[in-house]
């Protein structure tokens, strides 16, 4: 694993087939041997997540897509395991920041639907029946984010500075993860999109948390944000509707097949629809 990752991580162009098969292998292990993933050490899990993030940032779409699919599958399996709290405490902030960064990078716009699902799945941790607090993972960062958000300011670059009383201050600030994540998102959005303003950033952070369980509403919220923030403009904004356009085309084709006799392809017919027909058992 490590030697192959070191070989392909030097740039984004060498060994294209090895890159694709490498992440395909990791997906196969995750899907079929997830207990082996759980048996890895913390350092090895760190390497795995670093590899996933590297793939997600890849400029070649097929490699990036493998990385996005792999992260979605890891989130699913970890959420179903007894290690969910430990995993999210360790990687919640990293996954949130990386995915938001890719979502607002026009070079990675083909991965929009994956980015939305990942954000929705990460925020779904707030609904977990047994969850540990996220605000004390880095207490100093929590205090800095809360202070910045309360003032309607972005988190200063390079902050936070170590603070001896940070843990106690963080514990006094929050009693639930949802409120903490709202302030954390607010501060990140303010830093990344100062043109949106504090009120708009706060409303977006609230909306993301409130709609986390409704994929369609969550996706619409993110799409509106990308257009409003001018991340995608003009014809680029149309790419955000590719998934809906493809679904509409499928529905139209299916409707045509049902309206016109003989238009329905054999592969689309119900399994028992050919019973009794000549040539079919």
């Amino acid at each position: 694993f490590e030697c192959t990752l070191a070989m392909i991580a030097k740039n984004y162009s060498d060994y294209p087939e090895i890159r694709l098969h490498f992440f395909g292998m990791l997906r196969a292990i995750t899907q079929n041997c997830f207990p082996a993933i759980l048996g890895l050490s913390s350092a090895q899990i760190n390497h795995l997540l670093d590899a996933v993030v590297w793939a997600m940032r890849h400029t070649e779409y097929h490699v990036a897509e493998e990385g996005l699919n792999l992260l979605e599958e890891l989130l699913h399996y970890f959420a179903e395991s007894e290690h969910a709290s430990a995993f999210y405490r360790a990687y919640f902030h990293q996954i949130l920041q990386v995915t938001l960064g890719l979502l607002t990078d026009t070079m990675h716009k083909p991965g929009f639907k994956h980015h939305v699902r990942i954000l929705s799945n990460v925020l779904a941790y707030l609904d977990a029946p047994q969850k540990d607090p996220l605000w004390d993972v880095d207490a100093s960062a929590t205090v800095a984010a809360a202070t910045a958000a309360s003032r309607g300011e972005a988190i200063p670059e390079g902050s936070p500075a170590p603070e001896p009383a940070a843990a106690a201050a963080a514990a006094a600030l929050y009693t639930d993860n949802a409120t903490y994540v709202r302030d954390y998102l607010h501060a990140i959005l303010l830093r990344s999109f100062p043109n949106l303003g504090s009120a708009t950033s706060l409303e977006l952070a609230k909306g993301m948390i409130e709609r986390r369980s409704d994929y369609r509403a969550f996706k619409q919220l993110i799409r509106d944000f990308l257009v409003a923030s001018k991340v995608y403009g003009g014809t680029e904004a149309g790419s955000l509707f590719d998934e809906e356009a493809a679904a509409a085309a499928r529905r139209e084709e299916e409707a045509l097949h049902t309206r016109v006799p003989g238009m329905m392809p054999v592969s689309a017919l119900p399994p028992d629809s050919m019973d009794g027909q000549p040539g079919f058992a």
Side-chain angles (χ1 to χ4, degrees):
F1 172 84
E2 292 182 5
C3 60
T4 305
L5 183 61
M7 181 178 72
I8 64 176
K10 294 178 181 178
N11 56 54
Y12 285 126
S13 57
D14 292 343
Y15 315 109
E17 292 185 358
I18 292 179
R19 294 166 189 272
L20 204 55
H21 292 309
F22 175 72
F23 290 104
M25 176 195 71
L26 293 180
R27 288 189 66 193
I29 293 173
T30 301
Q31 293 166 5
N32 300 290
C33 308
F34 187 68
I37 301 289
L38 295 177
L40 297 176
S41 66
S42 297
Q44 290 171 324
I45 293 287
N46 284 337
H47 279 306
L48 175 60
L49 264 293
D50 287 343
V52 171
V53 169
W54 182 86
M56 291 166 60
R57 288 173 169 160
H58 206 287
T59 52
E60 206 285 317
Y61 172 69
H62 295 293
V63 177
E65 186 177 42
E66 283 290 271
L68 292 165
N69 282 324
L70 175 56
L71 180 56
E72 286 189 58
E73 290 159 2
L74 285 170
L75 290 174
H76 168 73
Y77 285 111
F78 268 109
E80 298 293 322
S81 77
E82 60 185 14
H83 302 278
S85 286
F87 176 82
Y88 278 98
R89 278 176 58 81
Y91 301 108
F92 180 92
H93 301 80
Q94 179 187 8
I95 294 171
L96 204 61
Q97 290 196 53
V98 168
T99 308
L100 280 170
L102 293 173
L103 180 71
T104 54
D105 181 350
T106 54
M107 288 184 63
H108 292 90
K109 63 183 179 182
F112 171 72
K113 64 180 180 181
H114 293 286
H115 301 148
V116 171
R117 281 202 297 263
I118 288 168
L119 288 174
S120 178
N121 289 339
V122 169
L123 293 176
Y125 175 68
L126 301 177
D127 301 318
Q130 293 183 338
K131 51 185 178 290
D132 294 323
L134 294 167
W135 59 84
D136 63 352
V137 173
D138 187 337
S140 295
T142 293
V143 173
T147 302
S150 66
R151 295 174 179 171
E153 301 171 351
I155 305 174
E157 292 290 345
S159 69
E163 182 180 335
L173 281 167
Y174 299 107
T175 57
D176 64 277
N177 281 330
T179 305
Y180 162 69
V181 173
R182 180 203 66 195
D183 285 353
Y184 182 75
L185 281 170
H186 182 201
I188 290 177
L189 292 167
L190 275 171
R191 182 168 66 187
S192 302
F193 303 96
N195 59 305
L196 288 181
S198 178
T200 302
S201 298
L202 179 58
E203 285 304 308
L204 175 60
K206 288 180 179 177
M208 290 175 68
I209 292 173
E210 291 169 356
R211 303 183 193 185
R212 63 186 181 273
S213 301
D214 184 339
Y215 174 72
R216 290 173 64 88
F218 187 84
K219 182 171 66 172
Q220 185 62 51
L221 176 71
I222 298 298
R223 191 158 46 199
D224 291 345
F225 152 66
L226 292 175
V227 174
S229 62
K230 296 181 171 55
V231 171
Y232 294 123
T235 56
E236 282 188 327
S239 65
L240 302 178
F241 294 86
D242 286 348
E243 191 174 7
E244 283 78 1
R250 286 195 299 272
R251 288 194 297 270
E252 185 176 344
E253 183 179 5
E254 290 168 1
L256 178 63
H257 289 162
T258 57
R259 289 197 306 268
V260 181
M263 284 291 291
M264 181 73 76
V266 173
S267 59
L269 291 172
D272 60 350
S273 64
M274 303 305 291
D275 290 350
Q277 297 296 320
F280 293 87

